[in-house]
Amino acid sequence: MAKVDVNEMSFLDHLEDLRWHLIRATLGVFVAAIIAFTMKTFIFEVVIFGPTEMDFPTYRWLCAAANKIGVETTFCAAELPFIIQNRLVAGQFSMHIWTSIFAGLIIAFPYVLYQAWHFISPGLKTNERKNSKGFIVIASLLFFMGVLFGYYVITPLSLNFLANYTISSKISNEFDASSVIAIVRSSSLASGLVFELPIIIYFLTKVGLVTPQILRKYRKFALVIVLILAAVITPPDIASQVIVAIPILVLYQVSIYISAIVVKRQKKESSS
């Protein structure tokens, strides 16, 4: 079948092309979800419920750091003060299905980006495609870095704080398994998406909606937003919020640098 020129494609042709890319992306997620479904023991025992055990790497590191500076902390406890339970008849099966889908989305994320790029790239100029050659690799790396940050930093900080927070000694913590899974899932996915900030700024700069001057001008407002975001996705203690805020601020600064490079290249191309 002959390749159709993107400039000759009608609106309906573009919609049809988009539909097939969405179908392929969905199939990629579905296949990855099936693989995750067959790895039930590893996904739940090692990954999902890993942060509920005190031998989790983050707890060991924070306990060692606290011991060095002589601070008493709950990170050195023998176990987290809660039990995990399921109260629904089909609860465990439902959790298995949905966790597999979200795991499939994370695993297949580079392939989803690949399909998105193949839909967008024909509309770009030759030099734009050349300059954006590493888009899939960089975006995937940022996403997985964010997922790891959410899993190894935000999730254990949240679980440890919430498990040890009490309003009365008469209340025992019996967390529903779906609630624990939701913390792991939301922390990891939210961080993965937040780490895509440089990529988002790159494209916003390309279309002229953002400039490095605007990013620098509103840096103070961005700082406030970052601190609010850190307060929302972490426990309400200063140390946790600072730990989360630092990489987001670094990403914002990197985004300013990327935006400046894009603007510089655009000016160079327009003058040549």
Side-chain angles (χ1 to χ4, degrees):
M1 184 176 178
K3 189 175 180 180
V4 180
D5 189 344
V6 68
N7 296 317
E8 297 177 358
M9 292 174 66
S10 66
F11 177 71
L12 291 178
D13 289 332
H14 282 294
L15 284 181
E16 179 67 11
D17 188 38
L18 175 61
R19 184 173 75 91
W20 279 107
H21 284 298
L22 290 175
I23 289 174
R24 293 188 192 102
T26 303
L27 285 175
V29 173
F30 181 71
V31 171
I34 291 176
I35 295 172
F37 188 86
T38 62
M39 301 172 65
K40 180 177 68 174
T41 301
F42 175 77
I43 293 292
F44 285 95
E45 296 293 336
V46 178
V47 179
I48 298 295
F49 296 126
T52 66
E53 303 293 336
M54 290 310 296
D55 62 350
F56 192 67
T58 306
Y59 298 136
R60 295 204 307 266
W61 298 334
L62 291 174
C63 177
N67 288 333
K68 282 186 179 181
I69 60 177
V71 175
E72 199 172 316
T73 176
T74 55
F75 294 118
C76 296
E79 62 180 15
L80 288 170
F82 67 86
I83 62 172
I84 302 174
Q85 62 177 351
N86 169 57
R87 295 177 296 170
L88 300 175
V89 175
Q92 295 199 49
F93 180 71
S94 179
M95 283 181 270
H96 191 189
I97 293 291
W98 282 106
T99 300
S100 298
I101 292 173
F102 279 100
L105 178 61
I106 292 174
I107 295 169
F109 186 78
Y111 182 71
V112 174
L113 281 179
Y114 174 80
Q115 290 300 327
W117 177 248
H118 268 259
F119 175 71
I120 296 170
S121 59
L124 300 177
K125 298 176 182 178
T126 304
N127 62 327
E128 290 176 332
R129 285 199 296 272
K130 184 179 178 181
N131 293 332
S132 307
K133 190 176 290 184
F135 163 74
I136 296 173
V137 174
I138 295 173
S140 298
L141 284 175
L142 286 172
F143 177 75
F144 288 127
M145 285 171 60
V147 168
L148 291 174
F149 180 79
Y151 179 71
Y152 281 104
V153 178
I154 298 177
T155 297
L157 288 176
S158 300
L159 282 175
N160 183 272
F161 174 82
L162 296 172
N164 286 283
Y165 186 84
T166 59
I167 57 174
S168 173
S169 58
K170 296 181 179 181
I171 303 175
S172 59
N173 286 328
E174 299 179 359
F175 297 157
D176 194 88
S178 60
S179 179
V180 176
I181 293 172
I183 288 179
V184 179
R185 181 180 64 225
S186 59
S187 298
S188 301
L189 281 177
S191 297
L193 295 176
V194 167
F195 271 57
E196 293 294 307
L197 180 62
I199 300 297
I200 295 171
I201 294 299
Y202 172 83
F203 283 105
L204 289 178
T205 305
K206 290 287 288 184
V207 298
L209 294 177
V210 168
T211 64
Q213 291 76 20
I214 291 176
L215 294 174
R216 293 190 186 99
K217 180 180 178 181
Y218 294 102
R219 197 200 307 262
K220 294 180 180 178
F221 296 100
L223 174 61
V224 174
I225 293 173
V226 165
L227 293 175
I228 293 173
L229 180 63
V232 169
I233 64 178
T234 60
D237 64 274
I238 299 300
S240 299
Q241 292 173 15
V242 169
I243 290 172
V244 173
I246 288 175
I248 300 177
L249 289 174
V250 170
L251 286 170
Y252 187 83
Q253 189 60 42
V254 170
S255 299
I256 295 176
Y257 177 71
I258 291 173
S259 180
I261 292 176
V262 173
V263 171
K264 185 178 179 180
R265 283 180 178 175
Q266 288 177 335
K267 288 181 179 178
K268 185 177 179 181
E269 289 169 4
S270 61
S271 61
S272 59

